[in-house]
Amino acid sequence: MQPEPKQQQINVQLDEKVAEGIYSNLALIAHGPAEFFLDFARMVPGTAKASVHARIIMTPAHMKFLLNALKENIERFEKQFGEIKLHGGPSQGPTGGFGFRSDNPNDK
């Protein structure tokens, strides 16, 4: 039996400007054969225009790791604070809710 590989500890640095964060109420997700594109934007009520403030590009494997990490953290959050209520009803499902959509035509 082989010994389990040791987990490598990563030293993550967070500079002051990045630590402030960017508010986003609109996320656009697109993909090509080799990567996913996540555009985080801000939309102001009463306007038909949104500005992208950050773009993250990830490999499909890293996107799936992110998806699993998000699911796990939402479960932890809801155990601690209660269920997160979504507004808008079932017609705005996981890919069609306000502010979060997929550009994949197969998701429509």
Side-chain angles (χ1 to χ4, degrees):
M1 186 191 285
Q2 290 184 350
E4 284 189 38
K6 284 188 176 181
Q7 283 231 305
Q8 183 179 6
Q9 191 166 1
I10 300 171
N11 182 13
V12 177
Q13 294 182 358
L14 183 64
D15 71 37
E16 210 172 305
K17 182 69 179 161
V18 175
E20 291 175 12
I22 297 172
Y23 177 76
S24 174
N25 60 2
L26 175 67
L28 304 151
I29 303 168
H31 59 84
E35 61 265 322
F36 277 81
F37 299 86
L38 295 100
D39 289 334
F40 294 94
R42 192 174 313 137
M43 197 164 105
V44 179
T47 65
K49 188 175 172 183
S51 298
V52 173
H53 291 272
R55 171 175 274 189
I56 307 298
I57 303 169
M58 303 177 86
T59 66
H62 284 111
M63 187 68 169
K64 197 160 191 177
F65 283 131
L66 175 62
L67 173 66
N68 291 335
L70 288 169
K71 285 180 181 179
E72 183 179 313
N73 278 272
I74 287 173
E75 287 172 7
R76 285 186 203 162
F77 178 94
E78 289 185 328
K79 279 182 184 172
Q80 185 174 355
F81 300 107
E83 183 182 354
I84 299 168
K85 304 287 185 198
L86 299 178
H87 303 280
S91 64
Q92 295 181 339
T95 59
F98 173 77
F100 297 89
R101 68 176 181 83
S102 169
D103 285 338
N104 184 349
N106 296 327
D107 289 344
K108 307 245 188 280

